[in-house]
Amino acid sequence: MPTRVIAVANQKGGVGKTTTAVNLSACLASVGKRILLFDLDPQANATSGLGLEKTEGASAYHPLLGEGSLLDKIQKTNYTNLEIIPSEVDLCGVDVELARSENHLQRVKTILNPILETGRFDAVIIDCPPSLGILTLNAFAAAESLLVPLQCEYYALEGISMITRIVNQIRDSGVNPGLHIVGVVMTMFDGRTNLSHQVVHEVREHFGETVFETVIPRTTRLAEAPSFGKPIIDYDKYSAGAAAYEVLTQEFVERLKL
Ligand SMILES: Nc1ncnc2c1ncn2[C@@H]1O[C@H](COP(=O)(O)OP(=O)(O)OP(=O)(O)O)[C@@H](O)[C@H]1O
Ligand SMILES: [Mg+2]
């Protein structure tokens, strides 16, 4: 089986991209999938969320600029089957530097290829920054599909039309003809508010089966876990948040035939 590449993306900030990337990766690893979490966000939240220090020179920065191999940037985590390419602040300068180089949208795809060829991983999960800048577009060019977290709030639908547009552009331009949204996951659902129910209803009407059945609840435990450097299934295995990400993972595995 070839290694699958999925980017977790939404240009909107704070919608649950990193929480989803970290917890989905950890849950996939816990059911035996060999996972590489690729932190492509200069904020490095996925890196610290898994308990890794932000270390100078540890990110994809140099490989992105053609210096050295991305394979050498892979690090182990505390979890079986889960490895990571960490991020650090230097990644925030890479946009500007890449803009000047040739094939600047294909850099992630190019440097990821040797890793895919090793067959070491069942899937690579890319955590994208909150923008549609060059790093995110690189992830779009490298991924087979996108997983889009949407926060259960009033403006949820607005941002996603922008992603849909960019996906179509990337597809039509030939950069990545197969790119599609494999799933929309509703996050920070608060069952006590009408708004949450309304938003989920609206998003389902609009996106139909693309929306995962599983809805991620808003819980304090999910918000706390990163400060302990742990995914929720380690931080509080029997919490509602852990259960939600476990069920989402099952759905994800089935949908992707992973
Ligand atoms: N289901 C949830 N319940 C409670 N808090 C959550 C939940 N999901 C995410 N959070 C919290 O909301 C904040 C934003 O989440 P997260 O970092 O995952 O979003 P993001 O889309 O990656 O943000 P950014 O755009 O800055 O990268 C974080 O503090 C996170 O801990
Ligand atoms: Mg994030």
Side-chain angles (χ1 to χ4, degrees):
M1 265 291 262
T3 304
R4 317 291 293 275
V5 182
I6 291 92
V8 182
N10 185 334
Q11 81 282 3
K12 207 156 177 213
V15 297
K17 291 182 288 296
T18 303
T19 304
T20 299
V22 165
N23 289 304
L24 176 68
S25 295
C27 289
L28 284 167
S30 78
V31 296
K33 308 294 176 195
R34 300 162 305 159
I35 303 300
L36 177 61
L37 176 59
F38 187 174
D39 191 349
L40 202 56
D41 182 356
Q43 297 180 96
N45 294 335
T47 302
S48 53
L50 274 183
L52 277 88
E53 299 287 333
K54 299 174 191 175
T55 325
E56 210 181 310
S59 78
Y61 176 80
H62 289 291
L64 278 169
L65 298 177
E67 302 152 10
S69 164
L70 192 62
L71 265 163
D72 298 334
K73 302 298 177 190
I74 299 175
Q75 291 190 28
K76 294 208 175 313
T77 68
N78 288 329
Y79 305 94
T80 314
N81 294 327
L82 180 55
E83 296 182 63
I84 185 168
I85 297 171
S87 165
E88 52 127 352
V89 285
D90 62 4
L91 266 189
C92 68
V94 93
D95 267 60
V96 183
E97 291 178 68
L98 279 183
R100 289 188 243 123
S101 67
E102 248 177 84
N103 290 332
H104 65 283
L105 292 186
Q106 305 274 16
R107 291 301 306 155
V108 166
K109 188 182 168 77
T110 306
I111 63 176
L112 204 48
N113 225 7
I115 294 178
L116 306 188
E117 278 169 3
T118 65
R120 260 170 73 183
F121 299 101
D122 296 311
V124 179
I125 308 288
I126 307 178
D127 186 27
C128 293
S131 80
L132 289 168
I134 288 179
L135 282 172
T136 301
L137 293 179
N138 260 274
F140 285 19
E144 70 170 61
S145 58
L146 308 180
L147 175 61
V148 180
L150 281 193
Q151 193 179 337
C152 293
E153 50 149 30
Y154 187 66
Y155 293 110
L157 271 171
E158 279 191 4
I160 201 169
S161 58
M162 229 149 118
I163 302 181
T164 315
R165 241 170 67 195
I166 300 263
V167 167
N168 291 340
Q169 276 173 11
I170 297 246
R171 207 161 40 200
D172 298 345
S173 69
V175 166
N176 185 356
L179 186 65
H180 60 283
I181 295 176
V182 69
V184 169
V185 55
M186 303 303 302
T187 64
M188 298 184 232
F189 178 82
D190 183 348
R192 295 165 305 180
T193 68
N194 279 336
L195 180 65
S196 268
H197 289 282
Q198 263 169 29
V199 172
V200 170
H201 179 77
E202 226 173 90
V203 172
R204 284 198 198 283
E205 286 219 313
H206 199 265
F207 284 97
E209 302 212 317
T210 308
V211 187
F212 284 105
E213 288 284 327
T214 316
V215 167
I216 308 298
R218 180 187 284 282
T219 76
T220 316
R221 304 302 267 170
L222 274 172
E224 284 168 358
S227 59
F228 294 88
K230 290 179 175 179
I232 191 70
I233 49 165
D234 183 21
Y235 177 62
D236 191 351
K237 192 172 170 31
Y238 300 103
S239 62
Y245 274 109
E246 281 174 325
V247 183
L248 177 71
T249 300
Q250 279 174 21
E251 258 195 88
F252 183 81
V253 166
E254 280 163 28
R255 193 173 284 197
L256 274 103
K257 303 195 170 54
L258 243 179

